[in-house]
Structures are given as structure tokens and as C-alpha cells.
Amino acid sequence: MSARDWQDREGIRAHGIRERTVMAGKTYSGNYFEDFTIGRQIVHATPRTVTQGDIALYLALYGSRFAATSASTFARDLGYPQLPIDSLLAFHLVFGKTVPDISLNAVANLGYAGGRFGVPVYPGDTLTTTSTVIGLKPNSSGRNGNVYVRSVGVNQDGQMVLDYVRWVMVNRREAVSEVGESVIPPLPGAVAVEDLVVPYEPGAPYDERMQALAGSTHLWDDYEVGERIDHVDGMTIEESDHMLATRLYQNTAKVHFNQFAQNDTKIGRRLIYGGHIISLARALSFNGLANAQAVAAINAGSHANPTFAGDTIYAWSEVLDRMEVPGRADVGALRLRTVATKDLPCAGFPYRDEAGKYLPGVVLDLDYTVLMPRRAGA
Amino acid sequence: MSARDWQDREGIRAHGIRERTVMAGKTYSGNYFEDFTIGRQIVHATPRTVTQGDIALYLALYGSRFAATSASTFARDLGYPQLPIDSLLAFHLVFGKTVPDISLNAVANLGYAGGRFGVPVYPGDTLTTTSTVIGLKPNSSGRNGNVYVRSVGVNQDGQMVLDYVRWVMVNRREAVSEVGESVIPPLPGAVAVEDLVVPYEPGAPYDERMQALAGSTHLWDDYEVGERIDHVDGMTIEESDHMLATRLYQNTAKVHFNQFAQNDTKIGRRLIYGGHIISLARALSFNGLANAQAVAAINAGSHANPTFAGDTIYAWSEVLDRMEVPGRADVGALRLRTVATKDLPCAGFPYRDEAGKYLPGVVLDLDYTVLMPRRAGA
Amino acid sequence: MSARDWQDREGIRAHGIRERTVMAGKTYSGNYFEDFTIGRQIVHATPRTVTQGDIALYLALYGSRFAATSASTFARDLGYPQLPIDSLLAFHLVFGKTVPDISLNAVANLGYAGGRFGVPVYPGDTLTTTSTVIGLKPNSSGRNGNVYVRSVGVNQDGQMVLDYVRWVMVNRREAVSEVGESVIPPLPGAVAVEDLVVPYEPGAPYDERMQALAGSTHLWDDYEVGERIDHVDGMTIEESDHMLATRLYQNTAKVHFNQFAQNDTKIGRRLIYGGHIISLARALSFNGLANAQAVAAINAGSHANPTFAGDTIYAWSEVLDRMEVPGRADVGALRLRTVATKDLPCAGFPYRDEAGKYLPGVVLDLDYTVLMPRRAGA
């Protein structure tokens, strides 16, 4: 008798010995396709105050070594007023709040685009997220449809911290025969350099000392479009690691946490939150991109294959574009593709097969933009 | 040859090659039944300063989403001067200190009662715990007896943070034939509503915006006595998770940490600290009780069955009582029973069998009182 | 076909379908024996600001109960201006920075000596490390050699936090036939009592209350040279625990994190960072040395055998010396040997066999000096 049979039997028996009526409606079951209408705005639950504890946990989870998010002295020399949190930590916190309302009944996360980071986040700041439905594409099956939302995370002063578009396939509460009209929004491409927010003012000269503390002498000037970098190092993920991270982000997607329920699925495992892989890949990219002190935009991203506890994550990057930042001589932007793999070192830059299909070992294809100091007077 | 045989052999050999005398008496072996006398007061070791790091770790361990302990903005709007720590975190810190003196030689934790929370705890506060022996019941076997203690946790200003009674069966150092008199104290029942401390002043109106941020429109007014709620979600526990938690609480009970020693026990596994399950059940209860912003009392609790790494915890709750709080129109009290299970979803509200015995999948039966905002002008 | 074969196959294929040139030189491959010259100074990357989050994580990882690093009230009574971080946490942070430059291409960590702690570290302090090459011993093989470095960790004001000597065997980039001269530096012995820094001023009388809060009445006066103490308790280590710790310290040694790469080694497992065992042994030593409020020096240390996830760590200590501290009547120094074992309780003080070889269950042999309050007027 399977645990599940046993549980139902006990469930019924326990039920049988109780008289009281079971009330319903207090539990939150998330939104279904029918619940989304163009222009509907959703204020997501659970505002979150960021603390120094989050900074330490983020370090413990990914081992990031970028100096600007590791040391207040370096951050101030760079031009920040104080030590900011990693912008990807802000991403996870803003994103996590949207899960119960947007993707609890999702069949698939189809993609995100146009992610633009705003003001930096400091310990003590409180983040909230609001989403607006900008597109609806009912699928011909009548059983589900694609929902496009724009989500904006703000701090306690209402300043934009992160603004991005995401689309997911969501089930209907009840199947329909007439599926109705589609409204497909224009999807943003890569964030334009004019729209990037540089989160710090021009600071001290980025001299030999700063470069030594940062861990590399390779500045924006030294990278070429098309250049590819194998980040060499690998990091193995444990169940406890990704669950600690995803709970920290108050992300409630069941597939990450509930092994008992996953036992009844084809995969049979807990799935690791895709954002956990993004943060690991960013941390691994230090080896080759040590001066990429801030992530300014996430242009697009795809989780090519699922990851599970026990997988060892590797990463490589390609420089897609190198852009001057209007009005800033001290810093430039690099548009990067970072590809993460599992149990697959990246000396050969594994990516897609001849048919353009992601190789089975590829788990992340991230198109994003980083900020890197420029050589003075170059 | 088992590791144990090998170890003894090596132990003897290592011993054999040393001349120096082995001194004793520096190691602490805890108290035995003989060491407890009515009225004896024990100041427990290791005061503990709470930090923002504890707040982040507590979030990472349980994924709690109650707004009042997640965001300083929300906490202030509710009526707190600043963001408090979760009162169950305070419980674990106060309780942990009592373990080396009270239950290091315990055969069983028999129960606790009358747990009343006092002033809220904020980062920077330092907690200490003092226990007083209020009852002694020598068992007829002459080998052990029940010890009843009242433990009080206070902050650096001596203000009460938590006050509760606990009783455990403790071994004697040496068996006796004459067991002596029993002194059984009156055990407190559920904490009376007049004795509850509301940890915050009346704050901003708990309006639509507050309810949206809290994640539910269901307020105190909407719950009925006898109502039962399946909290739906499940959370799987890893060894690393519960050990991180229990070390954070400086709880030294060996059974949680030492697999080598557990290998020689019938169970053969590390036992998970019961308080870890209480915190998981409380976090899961967000789905159905999102506005239960504070725990004011733990009336009684029983760990019905042990839990181990790999178990997936589910929970359901029943409303036992709904009480107005004297002098407060903004907040009411709900006395709840929350039942936690392992590998057993709670749609059928699993609890006891016909004989009144807990079902094998039931791991926690907690009787506690929460505070929830009331509908204005209702 | 092994994962490795598959990966190479895919690597080549992925490579085959790309035209762009692969640039090199951005990735950091560490220093080889040829890169070290006597007197060369290396400013290590990634300064690190310590936060309250580090304090909480350190507690969660080791469960340390020494009062001076647990409670700000106790720390102030003892004579600190505020709650300091555990000096071993400072050690790990200072040490971690040296790994990419000193031991990334190390064949073996041969030892360390003369470790002296300076000013205490408080949340908000930023640590950086600089190393100086003080010795070089090319091995006759021509393939590698021993590198001796002195590393100094300082805070944002340039005050010394930790100063120690370490030597490692490092590979050459290319083997040579003429190995050249050796320069072997004088290695410091145990740190002299005159050179110890007491990190706090004389504080409140270390009376009954302080001793109760500290958890022991055994003060410096009560320990005898030659006395040995079995710390009794054991702690099992999980993969997630040691990786969280080592990432927190930004220690990049691959062997701790990359299971996929370790699969191809003889050991086949991830090796646990030796410093993790030092911190566990120190936390376990509370039971018998509860008043050893600070570690003032690490005189010498050897990681006798490797440890792996699943091992249960035990420890015992021997008092090597008991020293008065010049100019301080309130505190004395104890030089200790603490031996840690795996899956081997320490009642028999397991250490070396007749031939002087460490027993297979012994994993750490640490010679260090702690500071402990003295009995007033003794």
C-alpha cells in the first residue's frame, strides 16, 4: 500500500470520526486564467524588509565575491553611499511575491524580458511588488492560456527597484469551448543603454589598488564583442541550499519544497528554483568578470533544463555587446550571455545542438547587462 | 568490526600510551532527579543577543510570510514601534537555554502549559532564562521521576518575554527503594484572555491596503468556533535544516545532532527538535490564517510522533475559541488547535483514531492563541 | 559512457558549431611556484564587511555557547565595548581571501604557525588580507616546491586582526631540472604570553552571576597543566553545512564544493574545509572550557585526517600550559591542545599510535591559547 493510499484511508477515517462541518474559502488557491483581465492590477502580499542577515545568507548560499556587494569600504570608494545588497537578491525578493498570485496555477513559466534595475537596495529598505496584466492569450485547447504581466518592485519610498515583464501559461478553473480574443503585448527587447540606471555616483579612481581588491585588472575596455569566457569553477547544490534560498525569498512554488507531492510526479524530485541557478551562475562568473560590479538589466532568460539537488553547476559567458553609458566616463556596460550547465564543464562552451536545441546539460541561457569600470583616460 | 568496536579498541590503546592522570569534574553532565528540590531556582547559561541575522535565518528556515514579522513598514502601521522577531523564535531561544539544566538527562518531555508571551523582542535585545522547580513526582520504579519547572525568559531590562510551565521525566543518578513524597503543582489551563499581552498599540486602520499586503481579507470577525482549515501546503525537512535551526537556538539535546550515537539506538536516526515542527506548522498556517499576526499564548502542546529528515510536514487548524480582547477594539484573539502531520496531506483533517490515539502520521497537536485584526466598526 | 565522456563529446560538438575565436586570459588561474619570490607582497581580493548576519550564521553552523560572543550584555560586563564576532570567524574570513592567490594550485597545506589575534572584530568592520612571501623551498622533483607566507588581516583602520604564517606545497607551471636555492624562514613557535593581545579591558567582577551565565564555575585558577578533558558531545556534519560555511568565508578551494570533479578523484568525495572542524571543536569544547571566552593565538595546527559529510565530530583537550598575563590580574592564558576525532568518542583521549602516527579517527590536532577569567584575589 503506497503512502498515498494509506494517507487517503486515514484521511477518510479521521474525517469519519468528526461531526463538525468543514468550512472552506479561507485558503488561498491563487488565480486562474479566468481571473486575469487586461489592466488588472495586483498588489502582492508580504512586504519584506531587507536586513544585514539577508546579505550574509546570500553570501553563504552562493559565495559571491564581487567587491561592491562584499565590502562597505569598496562600495563607498566605487560611489555608493553604503554597502548595497546584490541586485539579484532584490530580484528574488521582488519575484517571490508574485508567485502566489501569478504562477501558483501555472503550467509553465514561459519567459521574462525587459528587466531593469532601479535604485539600489540597502539593509532597512522594505520591498513590495505590484503586477499589472498586460496581455492574455487563451490557448485553443480551452484548458489554459498565457498571461503576460508587468511587475514593479519598489522600496518604502516608492522608488523603483526592479521593473520586468514575465509571461506564464496558467490553467483555467473550468475548460471552455469558446476561447475568446488574444491580446499580445509588445515584448521589450534588450534594455537600451539609455534606460540603464547606474546605481552609484562617480567615485574614487578605479586604480591599481581598487583592481587588486576587486580581483582583476580587466576593465570594460578590455572586453571584446564575441569574446567567450569559461568560468571554470563548479558548485554542487544540496536540497537544503536551494530550499533555504527559496524560503528566504518567500517564494511559495510547491515544486521546490514538497518531496512527498513530487513523489507522484513523473520527475519524482524537487525542482530547484530557476533564480537559484541565476545567482550561482553570476557568482561563478566572478572568475573572468570580477569587475562586473553591478547587474543593471536582465534582458531575457530561459531555464533550458531543470536542475536537481546533486547537480554541479558550471557556467560560461559571451560578450554580446559593449556599450558606453551616456554621461558616464567612469563606467561602461557589457551585454552578456551567461550559460549555466549541470555536470558539464564549459571549456567547450556547450550551448545548442545543430538543430538549435539546448544541449541536455544546459540549464540556463541568460541575456543580461552588467556595469564595469572603465580605464581612466582611455 | 563495527565503528564502535574499533573506536573502543583505539580508545583503550590511545589510553594505554598516556601516563598523565585524567582529571574529571570540568565537564557538565546536567541535573539528575536528586538535584531538583521544590523552589530551587536555576539561572540558565548563555544569554543571547538577538540580531537581524536571526530574523533572516528564521525566514530561510521556515519561509514564514506573516507581514507583521516580515516588514518594518507593516509592523509600524500595525502598531509596533519597529519590526519584532517572530515570537516563536523568542520561544526557541528561551527554551534552548533550559535544556542543559532541565532535560539533558530526561527520559521524556511530557508536556508544557500556560505559555504566555510578554513584551515583543527586537534586534539588539538580549534574552536570559531562569527556571524554578514547582513540582516533583518520583516514579515508583525508583529509577526516575517527573520534574515540573516554570521557566521565565526576560530581556536585558528584565521585562518578561515568555513565561511557561514544562514537565519532563528525569533519571535519578542512583536508583532508590524509598521514592518519597510527590508534589504535583496545579497546571495552568489555556491562558485566559485577560492575561494575554497584545504586543502592539492600536495602529493604522486595517484597511484594504493592509489586508492586501497581509495576503487575506479574512479577519477575526470571519472565523467561527469549530471551523477547520486545511493549510494545503507541505514542506520537506532536511537534516541540515533542523540542525541549523537547533544550533541557532543553542539547544544542546544530543539526539538532534549526533548520528554516530543515534546509530546505536532503536530509532537509528537523528530526532528533529519538536519546536522546529511548531515553527513549520505556524508558517504553513499562513495559508488560511494570514492575518494571525502574532502568537500570544501556547496553551498546551504535544509532539504526537517523532519526525525525521525527509519527512514532509503538512498542517490543519481548528478554531477552538474566538475571544474579544478587553480594552481593544482593533484586535481579537483566536484559540486554535493546529495539527501537523508527516507525509499526510490534511484535506481529511487527520487527528486521532476511534480509540483516541493519535494517527501515526500526526506529529504535533498544538493548542495556542493568536491575535488577529478585527473589522473596523463591526 | 561516463558523464565525463558525454560532456567532452558534447563540448566538442558545441564547439564545432561556433565560429568565433575563444579569447583567453580573463580567467584567474592562481599563482604557481614560479610566481612566488622572496619578499613579494600580495594584496588579496574581496574585502569583506562583517555583519550581524555573520554572527547568526556562525551560531547556526556551530552552535557555539561561549557567553562573550553570544550576548552584548555579557561582552560589555567582561570589558568589551560591544559584542565581538568569534575570533575564529575572523580567522576564516582572513584565511579565505588568501586561497585564490596562495593555495589554488597547492598540492598540500603543510601547516601554519604563530597565529596571533589582534583587535577584536565588530559588525560593520571590513577585513582585508595581505600576504608576504617569506620562504621558498623548491622540491628536488623539479615539479613543485614549498611556499612560506606571512598573512596579515586588518580592519578598515589598518589595525591588525590576525597575523599568521602558513606554508603550502605549490605546483610549478613547468617542471625544471635545476631547482635553485632554498630560503627557509625561521618558523615561530607558540605565541609568547607577552605577545598575546587581550581583546577587552578589565570589566565587572567575574562573580557567581557571571559564572552562572557563562555556564561554569571553573576559572583559570582551576586548570592544571597536563589535565585532560573529554568534551563528550558529538556533532554530525552535512554537505550543506560545510559548504554554507566555506562560501560564507569566500574560500574558493574547489575540493569543498565540486562533487562532479571529485567523482574523478581517488577519494570521490567533497573534502570539508579544515577550518570548519576547528570551529566545531571549539564549539564542542564549551563543555569543559565554558569560561575560555576568547582565543588569543593559534600556535600550530595539523589536519591529521580528512573529514567528509556524515562524519560525527568529537573532541578532547589537554592543558599544555597555564600562564599569567602581564599586567592583567583579571584574566589568565591557557595553552591547549584540542584534538578532534570523527565517529570516535573521546573518553579514551585518542591521539597517536605507538609509532607516533595519528590514529585514523583523529582529524585535528590544534595547539592554541585561550583567555580565561581568574578568581578574584586568588
Side-chain angles (χ1 to χ4, degrees), chain B residues 334-348:
Chain B
L334 293 178
R335 181 180 171 191
L336 303 170
R337 163 178 290 118
T338 290
V339 174
T341 62
K342 57 179 176 183
D343 298 348
L344 177 56
C346 294

Side-chain angles (χ1 to χ4, degrees), chain B residues 37-93:
Chain B
T37 54
I38 297 292
R40 179 182 171 194
Q41 214 180 54
I42 301 171
V43 175
H44 300 296
T46 318
R48 171 76 148 76
T49 299
V50 176
T51 72
Q52 293 177 336
D54 295 302
I55 292 178
L57 263 165
Y58 194 83
L59 262 171
L61 288 164
Y62 307 108
S64 173
R65 288 182 289 148
F66 294 97
T69 44
S70 176
S72 57
T73 49
F74 192 95
R76 280 193 295 266
D77 286 346
L78 193 62
Y80 284 99
Q82 59 172 290
L83 182 65
I85 71 166
D86 192 302
S87 50
L88 292 181
L89 170 54
F91 173 87
H92 299 317
L93 294 173

Side-chain angles (χ1 to χ4, degrees), chain A residues 23-213:
Chain A
M23 309 274 174
K26 293 290 196 313
T27 309
Y28 187 63
S29 57
N31 290 305
Y32 289 84
F33 187 76
E34 296 92 327
D35 303 316
F36 294 99
T37 55
I38 297 292
R40 178 182 172 194
Q41 215 178 55
I42 301 172
V43 175
H44 301 296
T46 318
R48 170 76 148 75
T49 299
V50 176
T51 72
Q52 294 176 334
D54 294 302
I55 292 178
L57 263 165
Y58 194 84
L59 261 171
L61 288 164
Y62 306 109
S64 174
R65 289 183 288 148
F66 294 99
T69 45
S70 177
S72 56
T73 49
F74 191 96
R76 279 193 296 266
D77 286 346
L78 192 63
Y80 285 99
Q82 60 172 291
L83 181 66
I85 70 166
D86 192 303
S87 49
L88 292 180
L89 170 54
F91 174 86
H92 299 317
L93 294 173
V94 167
F95 180 95
K97 302 183 187 326
T98 69
V99 169
D101 299 312
I102 306 300
S103 45
L104 206 64
N105 301 305
V107 185
N109 285 293
L110 300 173
Y112 35 91
R116 193 164 69 89
F117 290 94
V119 297
V121 177
Y122 302 108
D125 287 350
T126 299
L127 304 181
T128 53
T129 308
T130 304
S131 296
T132 306
V133 180
I134 60 172
L136 290 169
K137 181 183 163 301
N139 292 333
S140 52
S141 70
R143 290 203 311 279
N144 52 45
N146 301 352
V147 177
Y148 300 76
V149 297
R150 178 182 178 180
S151 299
V152 180
V154 299
N155 65 17
Q156 65 286 351
D157 300 321
Q159 298 170 300
M160 188 274 281
V161 161
L162 172 63
D163 182 338
Y164 69 102
V165 169
R166 172 186 178 211
W167 55 106
V168 294
M169 190 187 300
V170 178
N171 282 326
R172 285 179 184 270
R173 195 173 277 101
E174 286 167 8
V176 296
S177 48
E178 281 300 319
V179 302
E181 290 304 304
S182 285
V183 179
I184 299 178
L187 288 179
V191 176
V193 70
E194 305 77 43
D195 299 333
L196 296 177
V197 175
V198 180
Y200 56 88
E201 297 303 310
Y206 206 80
D207 55 15
E208 273 189 16
R209 186 185 128 278
M210 291 286 278
Q211 293 173 40
L213 292 174

Side-chain angles (χ1 to χ4, degrees), chain B residues 105-378:
Chain B
N105 301 306
V107 185
N109 285 292
L110 299 173
Y112 35 90
R116 194 165 68 90
F117 290 95
V119 296
V121 177
Y122 303 107
D125 287 350
T126 299
L127 304 181
T128 53
T129 308
T130 303
S131 296
T132 307
V133 180
I134 60 172
L136 290 169
K137 181 183 165 299
N139 291 333
S140 52
S141 70
R143 289 202 312 278
N144 52 45
N146 301 353
V147 177
Y148 300 76
V149 296
R150 177 181 178 182
S151 299
V152 180
V154 300
N155 66 16
Q156 65 286 350
D157 300 321
Q159 298 170 302
M160 188 273 284
V161 162
L162 173 63
D163 182 339
Y164 70 101
V165 170
R166 172 188 178 210
W167 56 105
V168 294
M169 190 187 302
V170 179
N171 282 326
R172 285 179 185 269
R173 196 173 277 103
E174 286 167 9
V176 296
S177 47
E178 282 300 319
V179 302
E181 291 303 305
S182 286
V183 180
I184 299 178
L187 288 180
V191 176
V193 69
E194 304 77 40
D195 298 334
L196 296 177
V197 175
V198 180
Y200 56 86
E201 297 303 310
Y206 206 80
D207 56 13
E208 273 190 16
R209 183 184 131 280
M210 291 286 278
Q211 294 172 40
L213 293 174
S216 171
T217 58
H218 302 291
L219 305 186
W220 176 83
D221 315 71
D222 307 322
Y223 290 83
E224 294 182 26
V225 174
E227 176 174 1
R228 288 184 290 160
I229 301 159
D230 169 17
H231 300 304
V232 180
D233 306 321
M235 178 67 67
T236 304
I237 307 175
E238 300 294 318
E239 296 283 12
S240 192
D241 297 339
H242 75 83
M243 290 198 297
L244 283 170
T246 310
R247 284 186 299 246
L248 185 68
Y249 310 142
Q250 297 172 304
N251 176 329
T252 60
K254 298 162 165 47
V255 293
H256 309 314
F257 300 114
N258 187 329
Q259 185 55 55
F260 183 79
Q262 292 305 102
N263 287 342
D264 291 344
T265 64
K266 208 186 306 166
I267 283 171
R269 304 280 312 274
R270 277 163 280 179
L271 290 157
I272 293 173
Y273 163 51
H276 194 67
I277 307 303
I278 292 176
S279 283
L280 269 180
R282 162 74 174 159
L284 291 169
S285 77
F286 177 87
N287 193 356
L289 291 163
N291 282 309
Q293 297 293 355
V295 174
I298 294 180
N299 302 307
S302 151
H303 300 292
N305 284 293
T307 54
F308 306 101
D311 290 344
T312 297
I313 303 303
Y314 291 87
W316 64 273
S317 296
E318 173 172 355
V319 179
L320 299 179
D321 199 359
R322 194 181 73 165
M323 305 165 281
E324 299 201 340
V325 175
R328 294 291 291 261
D330 60 320
V331 58
L334 293 178
R335 181 180 171 191
L336 303 170
R337 163 178 290 118
T338 290
V339 174
T341 62
K342 57 179 176 183
D343 298 348
L344 177 56
C346 294
F349 306 105
Y351 190 40
R352 298 175 185 271
D353 62 19
E354 291 80 349
K357 192 166 167 307
Y358 287 114
L359 296 176
V362 171
V363 295
L364 173 71
D365 182 3
L366 188 70
D367 175 340
Y368 63 115
T369 304
V370 298
L371 298 172
M372 195 182 279
R374 296 178 61 167
R375 186 153 282 108

Side-chain angles (χ1 to χ4, degrees), chain C residues 341-363:
Chain C
T341 61
K342 56 179 175 182
D343 298 347
L344 177 57
C346 293
F349 307 105
Y351 190 40
R352 299 176 185 268
D353 61 20
E354 292 81 348
K357 192 167 167 304
Y358 286 114
L359 297 175
V362 171
V363 295

